[in-house]
Amino acid sequence: MTTAPPEDAVTTYREAMRDALREALSGDERVFLIGEDVGRYGGCFGVSLGLLEEFGPERVRDAPLSESAFVGAGIGAALAGMRPIVEIMTVNFSLLALDQILNNAATLLHMSNGQLPVPVVIRMTTGAGRQLAAQHSHSLEGWYAHIPGIRVLTPATVEDARYMLPAALADPDPVLIFEHGSLYNAKGALPRSGTTAGLDRAAVRRSGTDVSLITYGGSLPKALSAADALAQEGIEADVVDLRTLRPLDTETVAASAARTHRVVVVDEAWRTGGIGAEVSARVAEDSFYDLDSPVERVGCAEVPIPYARQLEEAALPQPADIVAAVHRAVN
Amino acid sequence: MAEFTMPSLGADMEEGLLQEWLVHPGDHVGRGDAVAVVETAKSAIEVECFETGTVGALLVEPGTTVSVGTVLATIETEPEAAEARANPRRTRRAAPPADEGRTEREHSAAKAPDLPPAEAPEPPVAPDRLEAGPLLRRDAERAGVDLASVHGSGPGGRVTRHDVERAGEDSAAARPPARRQVTPLARRLAGELDVDLAEIGGTGKNGAIRAGDVRRAAAGPRTETAPRPTAPTPTREERPTPMRRAIADLMTRANREIPHYHLATTIDLHPAMEWLHEHNRNSPVDRRLLPAALLIKATARAAAEVPDLNGFWIDDHFEAGSGVHVGVAVSLRGGGLVAPALHDADTLEVTALMAALKDVVVRARGGRLRGSEVSGATITVTNLGDQGAEAVFGVIHPPQVALVGFGRVVDRPWAVDGLLGVRPVVTATLSADHRATDGSVGARFLSVVDRQLQSPEHL
């Protein structure tokens, strides 16, 4: 049983997410949490630990291994006026519920001529780096960002982990939240914030004038670490955290490109047809006359994520790969 | 019978790798002809021979590393060649005994016009890709040539650099000329700053013009050591390790053995720059000068006037150089330096000196310097150009006894006839070997450089 941390306290991404859930559950009777192991086990990644004891089995509901069924149940509950928060263990398993998400949640408002909003929030982990092998490690948030009618959030900081959820619950449309598994233990200060963070704008996490690193989620810490290394060489990187993959905040990206004239897109997903490709295309459309070098992209090796530690590290984009891409763009 | 030996292409060179023969047995060669390519720690050098005659036996296989002084080939000088024709046995140990019954005339008539090689020629074999050294592979890559498809004219069908070059020319002729690559931002800036893209060089990948190039061009006349070649330049290559090691050895030796003294003086370049701008305004592009040409010419004149700084310290005594051969430090793209020599720079007319400087810089960066250029400098100039610092205090290139450095040309407040004005000035420095000269000689040298630059029209 944890209590909410005082303002400005250092907390972890996991605890920030739990505080957001607790606040949602206590603030609105219509909110409930459903998913595999969210109750007795305390969440696969420990996010909902203690919430079952606090709010009871009506509000924190363990579901069987049946993604299509419990995501469908969440969508049905949302149609009926509830505000469900559905947790899926990993994005790989969300594919079992893709029919529900794409064919129901994302379409019903449109097909009912605005009569059937679907205010569901679906949370899931994404990404690799923890030796969970190919079936638990992929980054498919870019696939969901392809779908009109839903919003895709990728909180990368403690602050976004804490304040994106209430904003998502307030959104009348389906919202997907992707939590990168490597971030749960990340620590950060939780700034004093009486309001929720906006969902529409990307954030410049570090200012620089020589190159733009456009990234999100689990790749943000790597981009920041690459930016530190580059600063040692006198190359100042502008690091843009997209925060929301759909709708994309292309204005912030274009403004950064106009400042630096060089763009490197960093994305843990496969490059081919990924969200990094979309960002890169938008840069080509919006910022062509500001570019002084071709757009560089850093992504994952196009293989199923390997289990062996060294192979996994080799497959994933690392700070050194980002530094190398920046050198290509700058030199 | 003369011997062609592995030359010493620098004070620090102990051995060299014979890359390729540029001649075949029986070829006629003249003094100064390039006969072989030798790869040193620094770069590939075309080595010239000093004899006139006919190439005899090639004694060393390409791809072999031998120490300096090793005989690589025999050259029959003119009288010998005539004799050899009269008496083939002298050079043909493997030849069958001559028929005693033949007359001299029949002997010479029976003789083929050119001598076969001393050893039986190897049967031609299909060129083996693995035999191509890194240099050859790099050349092929640059020229966009597939090595497997190149006809090899070397021994045993080996592909030589010459073959690659020819294949490259053929395929280049077949290709339409490449469109100049310009980044979108650079193109936009060129429009805004009114810069003609055809007039400027590019520093980007494959010679692409980038925003920085346009801004520099817009900022006014360039005053850097060397014009950037506008031809596509190779991307950074993995050569720095032996190069760095060679520089490290030489500079360590210089600092260990040479007691340096350093002098500096600031020179008013107002007359020189005025003259230069006037000259460039009235000259076609290919005859335009950079300040570097005037600085080098003034240095060469001063070296001729103060000969104690022009030469070498060898075996505990000073040897004056025969002629003023100015080494010019050229930085290479992959890092590192070479200092090819401009021969008799004190007598070269400035436009000729400028052309020689351009030529040698382009070839230095392309790795195509000749043996006589990488050694033989009697004094070295390092010119930082407009990217550089205001003064450079360099390290002498052994066995030379002096190195002259020029910093960036900068506008400074300057007193002239009791009045203050703004003048372009440059800091000239001298690093000299205290074993050979003392400070008074060095000071005289710098004052001569100054004096020369005050009357640029006489340079």
Side-chain angles (χ1 to χ4, degrees), chain A residues 32 50 71 87 90 115 137-138 143 148 151 153 158 192 195 198 210 234 245 250 257 265 270 281 292 296 298:
Chain A
F32 67 96
V71 172
E87 176 179 308
T90 80
Q115 298 175 82
S137 298
H138 289 144
W143 290 9
R151 183 186 275 281
L153 306 180
V158 167
R192 176 180 296 275
T195 61
D210 298 325
L245 302 189
T250 50
V265 182
W270 299 301
D292 200 26
E296 292 280 346
V298 182

Side-chain angles (χ1 to χ4, degrees), chain A residues 273-323:
Chain A
I275 189 72
E278 177 63 27
V279 172
S280 169
R282 296 295 184 101
V283 170
E285 290 167 7
D286 302 338
S287 307
F288 183 79
Y289 295 104
D290 288 317
L291 291 180
D292 200 26
S293 67
V295 175
E296 292 280 346
R297 282 194 290 150
V298 182
C300 177
E302 309 240 337
V303 295
I305 301 284
Y307 167 76
R309 178 182 303 284
Q310 292 85 343
L311 292 178
E312 183 177 46
E313 281 172 7
L316 294 173
Q318 302 295 352
D321 304 320
I322 302 171
V323 168

Side-chain angles (χ1 to χ4, degrees), chain B residues 90-150:
Chain B
R90 259 194 65 166
T91 48
R92 292 173 56 189
R93 280 160 302 163
D99 181 354
E100 297 296 334
R102 287 194 184 176
T103 63
E104 282 296 320
R105 259 197 65 214
E106 281 174 312
H107 262 307
S108 31
K111 198 207 130 303
D114 54 358
L115 290 167
E119 282 108 50
E122 304 165 47
V125 293
D128 179 357
R129 283 184 56 84
L130 294 179
E131 275 199 326
L135 186 74
L136 206 60
R137 284 203 298 271
R138 193 189 75 208
D139 283 356
E141 203 175 312
R142 278 191 203 172
V145 170
D146 175 15
L147 270 179
S149 67
V150 175

Side-chain angles (χ1 to χ4, degrees), chain A residues 10-181:
Chain A
V10 170
T11 182
T12 64
Y13 185 97
R14 176 183 287 109
E15 284 163 359
M17 192 58 80
R18 188 183 305 138
D19 291 337
L21 287 169
R22 181 183 292 108
E23 179 190 62
L25 287 161
S26 39
D28 186 343
E29 280 298 314
R30 297 172 300 170
V31 172
F32 67 96
L33 178 65
I34 184 170
E36 293 153 354
D37 281 337
V38 296
R40 285 178 192 78
Y41 189 72
C44 263
F45 299 93
V47 172
S48 50
L49 196 66
L51 296 182
L52 173 66
E53 292 76 1
E54 203 172 333
F55 296 98
E58 296 271 305
R59 314 282 313 283
V60 180
R61 309 177 71 102
D62 275 322
L65 294 179
S66 56
E67 278 77 10
S68 182
F70 69 76
V71 172
I75 292 169
L79 286 167
M82 300 292 279
R83 292 287 180 273
I85 302 171
V86 183
E87 176 179 308
I88 304 175
M89 200 182 293
T90 80
V91 67
N92 293 63
F93 309 141
S94 75
L95 300 187
L96 292 156
L98 186 57
D99 165 59
Q100 289 291 354
I101 297 169
L102 170 57
N103 290 324
N104 291 329
T107 57
L108 288 174
L109 183 71
H110 173 89
M111 293 174 77
S112 66
N113 196 19
Q115 298 175 82
L116 296 175
V118 187
V120 66
V121 172
I122 304 173
R123 298 172 43 236
M124 62 191 94
T125 54
T126 184
R130 294 154 297 140
Q131 280 203 269
L132 295 175
Q135 292 162 326
H136 299 68
S137 298
H138 289 144
S139 296
L140 307 179
E141 52 274 11
W143 290 9
Y144 287 101
H146 181 63
I147 304 171
I150 58 175
R151 183 186 275 281
V152 176
L153 306 180
T154 53
T157 63
V158 167
E159 187 187 356
D160 276 349
R162 173 65 184 82
Y163 294 115
M164 271 185 164
L165 184 70
L169 283 163
D171 192 308
D173 293 317
V175 178
L176 270 52
I177 303 180
F178 291 89
E179 300 159 21
H180 196 286

Side-chain angles (χ1 to χ4, degrees), chain A residues 262 288-292 329 331, chain B residues 183-186 188 210-212:
Chain A
R262 300 172 190 99
F288 183 79
Y289 295 104
D290 288 317
L291 291 180
D292 200 26
N331 296 331
Chain B
T183 70
L185 178 64
R188 191 187 88 196
R210 305 185 63 167

